[in-house]
Amino acid sequence: MSYLFPTYSRWDVSIVEGDGARVKDASGKSYLDFISGIAVTNLGHRHENVKRALENQLDKVWHVSNLFQNDLQEEAAKLLCDNSCADAVFFCNSGAEANEAAIKLARKHTNKEKIITFKQSFHGRTFATMAATGQEKVREGYGTMLPSFDYYEYNDTESMRKLDDHSVAAIMLEVVQGEGGVRPADPEFLKEAEKACKRVGALLIIDEVQTGIGRTGYFFAHQKESIQPDIITAAKGLGSGFPVGAMLGKKELASSFGPGSHGTTFGGSMLAMAAVKATIETVLENEFLEQVVEKGSYLMNILEKELQSSNKVEGIRGKGLMIGIECREPVGSMITALREAGILVLPAGERVIRLLPPLTVSKEEIEEAAEGLKQVLNSAEVSV
């Protein structure tokens, strides 16, 4: 028996070692990791820069609480603000916590309650972020949700253009819906959402938990479209596997999050900040993000070429190194077959295979993964 709550449908694989884009299980079998801890180990496993920063901090101090000044927090926050439109940062421990903070801040600052999110979105599993998530399956069984969330159709530009509800506190969206099927936002939809917020006196919250810190080839995914959110949330790739989240916001919001308004025991710890600083500095190194764009295009092109003959594949979409392969049937058996072939991928809904390789992945590793996908997806005719 297990002494754990059965909250996860776990694979019968125990990973014991990782290096770069490869991991090894307890039996010694090696895998090419195109999950990256669900877009967490963006620099690959055990990146030397992050490892060195953590080892250095381990020899100093681990935790002192947020009652004290914290220069590492200030340095990490400055890096985030210097590379975004934000002016202030709140550090926490996860993406759900970052989104929880964003929801609290939006309601407190605007003195309004209604928040618009989108169908098939995913923002977390706390009560507020579960209510914000536009997927009924996430909310089932928990009774009355926190009010007041309205779920609009994603990429419905016209609904944003027509929005004239001044009771809205915020519009909250993902630039690419990750759990919702790797669905990128249309640029015009994003721009109209920004305009709608200004028109009705609402805040624009961009959830960059999965898309941020270089995943799409930009430091934050929304920067490609030149929109200016009021609040940005980040986590996953922010700490290279070390638990950390962050809510970034404009300076005019700071007065609504004064002493006692929000807090965390572990958020912004010395160890987390060491990992964040090293991660961000690595992502910002010369040509790093340009290489992510290049590798993302390379992977997309290979997949389109190799899978065009597969009648299992409906389409391929994504941004940077966040790619979804939509299939005409459930993908569970395909993911199992890929794992048995030594390639780790994950689903995004019932019919989408999601690829999230480390941003440091090599072209040779991309080719290896593409060959494995080709073998599995071309192995049998789809039954429809």
Side-chain angles (χ1 to χ4, degrees):
M1 65 166 284
S2 172
Y3 292 95
L4 303 172
F5 274 102
T7 49
Y8 306 102
S9 297
R10 298 177 189 267
W11 299 331
D12 190 21
V13 176
S14 178
I15 302 298
V16 297
E17 188 178 327
D19 184 26
R22 296 188 185 275
V23 293
K24 189 178 291 186
D25 70 16
S27 72
K29 181 175 179 176
S30 180
Y31 303 83
L32 186 58
D33 184 4
F34 268 46
I35 297 176
S36 301
I38 315 181
V40 169
T41 54
N42 281 5
L43 300 180
H45 295 277
R46 296 191 300 120
H47 192 279
E48 190 59 36
N49 293 356
V50 182
K51 180 183 176 184
R52 186 166 50 249
L54 282 167
E55 288 175 342
N56 182 54
Q57 190 60 43
L58 279 168
D59 287 333
K60 294 180 179 178
V61 61
W62 297 2
H63 176 82
V64 295
S65 95
N66 286 305
L67 295 172
F68 296 88
Q69 297 294 323
N70 189 327
D71 289 344
L72 277 174
Q73 280 190 18
E74 289 287 352
E75 291 164 12
K78 185 177 188 301
L79 281 170
L80 285 167
C81 291
D82 285 350
N83 292 280
S84 72
C85 60
D87 305 295
V89 180
F90 173 83
F91 286 111
C92 50
N93 304 286
S94 70
E97 285 188 28
N99 284 335
E100 186 89 19
I103 291 165
K104 285 181 66 174
L105 178 56
R107 288 177 60 152
K108 191 168 189 289
H109 185 77
T110 63
N111 200 30
K112 296 187 282 187
E113 292 189 7
K114 185 184 294 184
I115 295 176
I116 292 172
T117 62
F118 296 89
K119 294 177 183 178
Q120 295 306 115
S121 62
F122 183 83
H123 299 293
R125 294 184 185 274
T126 64
F127 243 90
T129 58
M130 180 170 59
T133 293
Q135 299 186 52
E136 183 60 34
K137 66 180 182 181
V138 174
R139 305 190 297 269
E140 286 177 354
Y142 293 99
T144 304
M145 288 290 106
L146 176 76
S148 301
F149 292 91
D150 285 354
Y151 312 112
Y152 279 49
E153 291 290 341
Y154 190 67
N155 273 335
D156 185 350
T157 302
E158 194 61 24
S159 69
M160 295 293 96
R161 191 173 287 124
K162 291 180 177 178
L163 185 69
D164 195 31
D165 184 350
H166 289 260
S167 69
V168 174
I171 295 175
M172 185 175 190
L173 58 84
E174 301 158 274
V175 179
V176 182
Q177 287 190 329
E179 303 297 325
V182 192
R183 300 170 62 209
D186 294 333
E188 194 61 26
F189 167 71
L190 294 174
K191 290 171 184 173
E192 288 299 329
E194 181 182 36
K195 290 178 185 177
C197 285
K198 293 177 180 177
R199 187 166 60 247
V200 303
L203 302 180
L204 179 60
I205 303 171
I206 301 292
D207 178 343
E208 294 262 13
V209 169
Q210 190 164 153
T211 54
I213 323 302
R215 173 55 56 183
T216 69
Y218 290 79
F219 191 71
F220 287 117
H222 71 268
Q223 291 169 331
K224 184 177 188 298
E225 311 306 335
S226 300
I227 59 173
Q228 295 262 321
D230 300 287
I231 297 173
I232 306 162
T233 57
K236 290 190 180 290
L238 183 60
S240 293
F242 201 93
V244 64
M247 181 198 69
L248 294 68
K250 295 286 187 67
K251 59 185 176 183
E252 55 266 27
L253 305 179
S255 60
S256 296
F257 247 25
S261 59
H262 197 50
T264 169
T265 296
F266 294 106
S269 75
M270 303 291 197
L271 291 172
M273 294 302 96
V276 168
K277 272 193 66 185
T279 298
I280 294 175
E281 287 168 353
T282 302
V283 169
L284 294 175
E285 285 177 358
N286 191 36
E287 298 183 353
F288 185 96
L289 291 173
E290 289 89 339
Q291 290 172 7
V292 173
V293 173
E294 180 185 340
K295 286 185 279 194
S297 297
Y298 188 66
L299 175 55
M300 184 73 81
N301 290 337
I302 290 180
L303 292 175
E304 289 173 344
K305 176 184 175 183
E306 298 292 354
L307 301 181
Q308 62 181 345
S309 62
S310 173
N311 66 351
K312 286 186 178 182
V313 176
E314 184 76 31
I316 305 170
R317 58 179 177 261
K319 289 182 180 294
L321 286 170
M322 183 178 182
I323 293 175
I325 303 169
E326 184 169 7
C327 298
R328 295 189 175 99
E329 63 181 25
V331 299
S333 61
M334 304 175 206
I335 288 173
T336 299
L338 284 161
R339 186 166 66 249
E340 290 172 351
I343 299 169
L344 300 178
V345 298
L346 72 162
E350 187 180 33
R351 295 193 300 112
V352 177
I353 296 172
R354 185 172 14 162
L355 308 180
L356 297 166
L359 308 185
T360 53
V361 67
S362 69
K363 287 189 174 181
E364 291 75 19
E365 289 164 337
I366 286 173
E367 291 163 3
E368 180 182 338
E371 180 61 26
L373 283 156
K374 175 186 175 182
Q375 294 296 326
V376 168
L377 292 177
N378 290 337
S379 63
E381 294 299 307
V382 63
S383 55
V384 292

